[in-house]
Amino acid sequence: MHINDYRAQAHKMVDWICNYYENIGEYPVKSAVSPGDIARQIPSAIPEDSESFDLIWKDFVNIILPGITHWQHPHFHAYFNANTSFPSLLGEMITAALGSQCMIWDTSPAAAELEERMMEWLRDSMGLPLTWSGVIQDTASTATLCALLTAREKATEYEINRKGIGLNVFRIYSSTEAHSSLEKGVKIAGFGKENLVKIAVDERSRMDPQKLSEAINLDIQNGYIPLFVMAALGTTSTLAVDPLAEIAKICEQFDIWLHVDAAYAGSALLLPEFKWMIEGIDAADSFVYNPHKWLFTNFDCTAYFIKDRAALIKTFEILPEYLKTESRGRVNDYRDWGIPLGRRFRALKLWFVLRSFGLENLKLTISNHIQWARDLANKIALDPNWELMQDTQFNMIVCRYVPEWISDPETLNKINEVLLNSINSSGEAYMTHTKLNDKYVLRVVFGQTYLEKTDVENMWAIMQRHVETI
């Protein structure tokens, strides 16, 4: 493609993106294709000759677009949002154009220094300890793995890095509601998933500190080594907030690494009224939060903060001759702060977002999402045929349909499953489910960047309409 062709196509592309966002509400939120539908329309080999971009674009519209689930749709209420915004899109465009590989300071000084400053902006605005250091990882899964590995190496004086996994049997703790990425990290780090101890939760789905203390004491008696506790500030199923201060005291007592997972709900820390969540944070060792979920920044962009940066670097640094530079020791070479050598320029889009919104508009948008969710939760609570399953303290509602004439638990579960599938298959909206005490319940998240109050009200109408159809 010649640069003049690129210029023409790029202008068309931006026009298409603008039209897409102006009309995104007309798309079915969840793709309705069946497994294999897309693959059958794509040739099995690379074309022998070059093809025009017009033809490629036509195939995108006709083949690819029907298989897309529209995460930026105002009625995408599933999982947790993977948001973007127009400033973030512009940042991604420039990042792609620059094509920078930001592994060390020398390969892009501005990338390293902007990343350092962006982590300071987030740290300070969220109320994290000023002595902590931050780095951008790709996902919270990677950040949690980094925390596990750093805890392992620090506890063994970096012996496992040198000699490999030994006979020490370490124990890792989380609540039964913790994110599944911890279990994956436990397996990758060599601890063995049988050494992940799941702690019971209370009636609000929060980790029970007393149960944690009992489990740790029992493990010590049985010859295990308690190593790592993960506390969740916003669990995946219900956005429950573990009692961090109480958990922190236990970790201090037993000298256990405390990792805080605030992947989604961390955005609420921008609001003064949610600072209670991090009471006890000074005793933690690491903290992860995803701006790519509820801070309107393209996936992927995870903020990982750590108390002991030296331990992190010592865990991951390797210095072959070809990476030695004169600047080493005077700058942050972020390839030593995580798993990959190669790194994208993720800080640029975050910079664009934080400056374009400004702190007050970020807070206002997040606050609106929370208030609109609470308003709908109040309506649901007043409807005798619906049941709220958890307090709505953030922007997610956990509820189920409970018609007065049905009391059988299995029948109620099936009705809610049918209701969910009815809504999702209609294309009008997309949401997901979880199970609480064997009850099949609906999760409805209101965190899309350009969400309006009317979208929340419309979602309630959609839910009621599909109740009538089933």
Side-chain angles (χ1 to χ4, degrees), residues 216-350:
I216 292 170
N217 276 299
L218 181 61
D219 281 344
I220 292 173
Q221 292 173 23
N222 290 327
Y224 296 111
I225 303 172
L227 176 74
F228 186 100
V229 172
M230 186 170 87
L233 305 186
T235 58
T236 304
S237 286
T238 66
L239 283 180
V241 176
D242 290 338
L244 182 60
E246 295 176 66
I247 295 170
K249 290 179 182 178
I250 295 170
C251 291
E252 283 188 302
Q253 177 187 350
F254 292 101
D255 192 23
I256 298 174
W257 185 287
L258 176 55
H259 177 62
V260 180
D261 175 11
Y264 185 76
S267 289
L269 288 171
L270 296 181
L271 305 176
E273 59 266 34
F274 283 94
K275 290 291 196 291
W276 59 266
M277 290 196 297
I278 53 171
E279 182 182 347
I281 192 67
D282 288 337
D285 295 279
S286 52
F287 179 99
V288 63
Y289 158 62
N290 287 337
H292 67 231
K293 284 183 174 165
W294 198 14
L295 205 68
F296 323 124
T297 305
N298 283 71
F299 184 87
D300 50 8
C301 183
T302 288
Y304 176 57
F305 296 94
I306 190 161
K307 177 186 292 183
D308 187 351
R309 60 183 279 176
L312 175 71
I313 294 170
K314 193 170 182 180
T315 298
F316 292 105
E317 67 179 348
I318 294 177
L319 189 59
E321 186 63 34
Y322 54 80
L323 288 179
K324 293 179 180 178
T325 63
E326 292 183 356
S327 64
R328 184 168 179 81
R330 297 185 290 125
V331 296
N332 287 339
D333 289 327
Y334 284 117
R335 54 107 183 175
D336 293 329
W337 292 52
I339 294 167
L341 171 63
R343 305 183 78 253
R344 297 180 63 235
F345 189 4
R346 297 182 180 92
L348 186 66
K349 60 189 175 186
L350 185 58

Side-chain angles (χ1 to χ4, degrees), residues 29-30 69-82 264 372-373 376 395-397 420 423-424 428-433 442-448 451-460 462-463:
V29 187
K30 186 178 184 293
T69 292
H70 298 280
W71 283 69
Q72 309 312 314
H73 194 290
H75 282 315
F76 184 97
H77 306 300
Y79 307 106
F80 287 131
N81 301 87
Y264 185 76
W372 296 338
L376 178 53
N395 64 331
M396 183 173 77
I397 294 172
L420 178 75
I423 292 171
N424 290 346
E428 293 179 89
Y430 185 26
M431 57 192 199
T432 48
H433 81 282
L442 310 178
R443 295 171 71 261
V444 195
V445 182
F446 297 104
Q448 200 277 330
L451 186 77
E452 299 288 346
K453 186 175 182 180
T454 54
D455 298 318
V456 180
E457 294 167 347
N458 289 341
M459 187 60 204
W460 179 226
I462 291 170
M463 293 165 68

Side-chain angles (χ1 to χ4, degrees), residues 376-404:
L376 178 53
N378 290 335
K379 291 181 180 179
I380 292 173
L382 294 174
D383 191 316
N385 291 321
W386 286 84
E387 180 183 10
L388 283 177
M389 306 304 295
Q390 293 281 337
D391 292 339
T392 305
Q393 58 182 346
F394 295 104
N395 64 331
M396 183 173 77
I397 294 172
V398 183
C399 63
R400 66 174 182 159
Y401 178 54
V402 285
E404 294 177 301

